[in-house]
Amino acid sequence: MINELDDRPVPALKIFSASLRRAALVLGFLALAACSASRPPPLPQIALDRLPEGALGSQSAAGNPQIRKDLAQAMALRTGRLTAGQSLTMLALSGGGANGAFGAGLMRGWSARGDRPEFDIITGISTGALMAPLVFLGPAWDETLGRLYTNSQASRIYKDRPLANVLRELSLKDPGPLRNLIRELINDDFAAAIAAEHRKGRRLYVGTTDLDRQRTVIWDLGAIASSNSPDTVPRLRDILLASSSVPLVFPPVYFPVVHENRIYQQMHVDGGIESPLLIPGLLVDVDGALREMGGERPRLHLFALVNQQIEVEYLQAVEPDMVAISVATINHSQRSNLASNLARISLLARSIGARFNVQAIPPGVRLEKDSLEFDQDEMKLLYRLGSQIGLSPLTWN
């Protein structure tokens, strides 16, 4: 349940504790797992920088020439709209597991308010990657997005594994139900709709983490959807699954990479490991692409929808328990990383003259469930809260 701030104590073990205890158990058997688990052949050291088909490039604080080139081509297609005095709009959707219900509700409320932009660029990481294609296709998909977060429960996302399978699969959960959910959503017609928007110059990027190279990889879903490859739809599904695959909770997703006529496999997991938002390097590339347009530059307006809390108002003393201490440490680390990333983005946006607005789950909201529990009651309440905030004209002030 979600309640406004009050004086009731919240057991320190409520958040992440069940998953953390199971993870601790698995870590205790890592030596055995190393003996029993195997992986497909990884790329040789000399070829680690190679990318799978469909990956646009890796995120870099200094930007990425390939991504900048793609954005410049896209903006050339949008020139008529961009030179009409309107801003180039970019929406970044964060991770947050079941808390993505907040973002889904906010998008619905924003649509109902009547001034939701047709975003030129949309990015997503983790649960934000699942949301991004639906948001990209516009308000007509708000109902589907809402059902995704209000009708789903843990059993529609994962199944528990027996301990023997945990050691073999190197994950606590079987993501088969999530894979099926993605399969139901992403089909030929859905891919065709994304491709149609891509041809207009709009861009849809999501991020995964390449663990072998330890970098964030950016995928251009519109370009993949526009390809004539028979693997288009399966590739889109695998990318969304990979971006949502929290390490240890879900198994990694492997992508084939060709090197010297041999096929190797690259290990990808949740895109939110390095950064909760797919923004910093992209801002540099967007600014570079705008400069290449020449003439009067349209102004960039960046929106960050954070499916997490940047701050909380109900801190309390931590119990002298190993799991409680670990939970408090993880929570603090995640919020600190989120806050520092937003601060960096704000400074970067200011330096390039972009307008930057953030909306996150309010600090006074009490989240009593782990976001990986996918508690339906809490998700519905978050969805309603997001809808109310989305309807407010002060949402992005």
Side-chain angles (χ1 to χ4, degrees):
M1 300 290 288
I2 300 175
N3 305 291
E4 293 301 319
L5 179 63
D6 57 33
D7 296 327
R8 292 178 301 143
V10 178
L13 305 187
K14 291 289 279 186
I15 305 173
F16 293 131
S17 61
S19 295
L20 197 60
R21 288 186 189 279
R22 288 192 293 271
L25 179 63
V26 173
L27 289 172
F29 286 97
L30 276 182
L32 290 174
C35 297
S36 61
S38 62
R39 62 160 289 172
L43 281 161
Q45 190 74 24
I46 195 173
L48 281 181
D49 284 336
R50 287 187 175 272
L51 293 166
E53 184 179 351
L56 189 55
S58 57
Q59 179 166 256
S60 166
N64 184 301
Q66 185 62 35
I67 296 173
R68 183 175 304 183
K69 178 181 177 182
D70 179 67
L71 285 166
Q73 293 171 346
M75 290 174 193
L77 295 172
R78 306 285 283 174
T79 298
R81 195 192 72 78
L82 293 176
T83 54
Q86 298 184 30
S87 295
L88 176 78
T89 55
M90 178 176 172
L91 173 67
L93 301 165
S94 85
N99 295 344
F102 172 78
L106 191 144
M107 296 310 299
R108 178 194 177 191
W110 199 357
S111 297
R113 199 175 72 193
D115 60 350
R116 170 177 160 182
E118 182 186 73
F119 295 100
D120 298 287
I121 304 167
I122 292 181
T123 75
I125 273 184
S126 197
T127 200
L130 294 177
M131 298 172 62
L134 292 162
V135 175
F136 186 70
L137 294 181
W141 288 85
D142 284 351
E143 186 176 344
T144 301
L145 180 62
R147 286 199 304 269
L148 183 66
Y149 284 94
T150 58
N151 291 349
S152 294
Q153 50 193 349
S155 61
R156 292 200 69 199
I157 306 300
Y158 55 72
K159 295 185 292 186
D160 288 327
R161 293 191 192 277
L163 181 58
N165 289 350
V166 167
L167 298 177
R168 185 175 62 251
E169 302 292 341
L170 292 181
S171 66
L172 299 166
K173 306 292 185 183
D174 174 1
L178 176 59
R179 185 182 291 276
N180 291 335
L181 198 63
I182 294 172
R183 185 181 293 116
E184 291 172 10
L185 176 65
I186 307 298
N187 54 32
D188 290 336
D189 291 340
F190 194 90
I194 292 175
E197 296 303 312
H198 180 80
R199 288 192 292 271
K200 297 177 185 176
R202 300 179 65 215
R203 289 297 179 262
L204 173 60
Y205 299 142
V206 303
T208 62
T209 299
D210 169 11
L211 276 188
D212 291 328
R213 186 62 177 82
Q214 297 187 15
R215 61 182 174 178
T216 300
V217 171
I218 298 174
W219 302 80
D220 185 345
L221 297 195
I224 296 170
S226 300
S227 72
N228 295 319
S229 169
D231 296 330
T232 292
V233 170
R235 176 56 57 95
L236 290 173
R237 292 168 177 167
D238 284 345
I239 293 166
L240 295 183
L241 180 63
S243 189
S244 306
S245 294
V246 180
L248 284 183
V249 178
F250 295 144
V253 177
Y254 293 96
F255 291 94
V257 182
V258 178
H259 173 62
E260 295 184 347
N261 297 320
R262 287 190 60 188
I263 298 177
Y264 298 90
Q265 299 290 332
Q266 203 171 71
M267 180 189 289
H268 286 246
V269 296
D270 192 303
I273 290 178
E274 179 181 336
S275 172
L277 290 160
L278 193 61
I279 297 177
L282 275 177
L283 270 186
V284 175
D285 293 321
V286 170
D287 182 57
L290 286 173
R291 291 179 185 277
E292 291 177 11
M293 289 180 63
E296 184 178 352
R297 294 176 54 197
R299 189 180 184 189
L300 173 64
H301 192 171
L302 170 63
F303 299 86
L305 203 174
V306 181
N307 296 300
Q308 302 173 43
Q309 289 177 304
I310 304 171
E311 298 177 345
V312 293
E313 295 181 356
Y314 50 88
L315 296 175
Q316 63 176 23
V318 178
E319 296 295 327
D321 175 283
M322 288 182 64
V323 174
I325 293 170
S326 299
V327 166
T329 302
I330 291 171
N331 287 340
H332 175 63
S333 176
Q334 288 180 333
R335 283 194 296 271
S336 296
N337 183 42
L338 175 59
S340 62
N341 269 274
L342 288 172
R344 280 179 54 215
I345 294 165
S346 179
L347 288 173
L348 181 56
R350 188 179 304 173
S351 71
I352 65 175
R355 184 179 175 187
F356 179 44
N357 293 99
V358 181
Q359 183 61 58
I361 300 175
V365 174
R366 195 165 208 162
L367 301 177
E368 297 185 353
K369 298 291 184 180
D370 179 3
S371 65
L372 293 178
E373 289 183 43
F374 293 89
D375 181 81
Q376 202 165 35
D377 290 337
E378 189 155 289
M379 291 168 74
K380 287 179 178 179
L381 286 169
L382 273 173
Y383 181 78
R384 289 198 294 270
L385 173 65
S387 296
Q388 293 167 6
I389 291 176
L391 280 167
S392 170
L394 303 176
T395 297
W396 295 105
N397 287 350

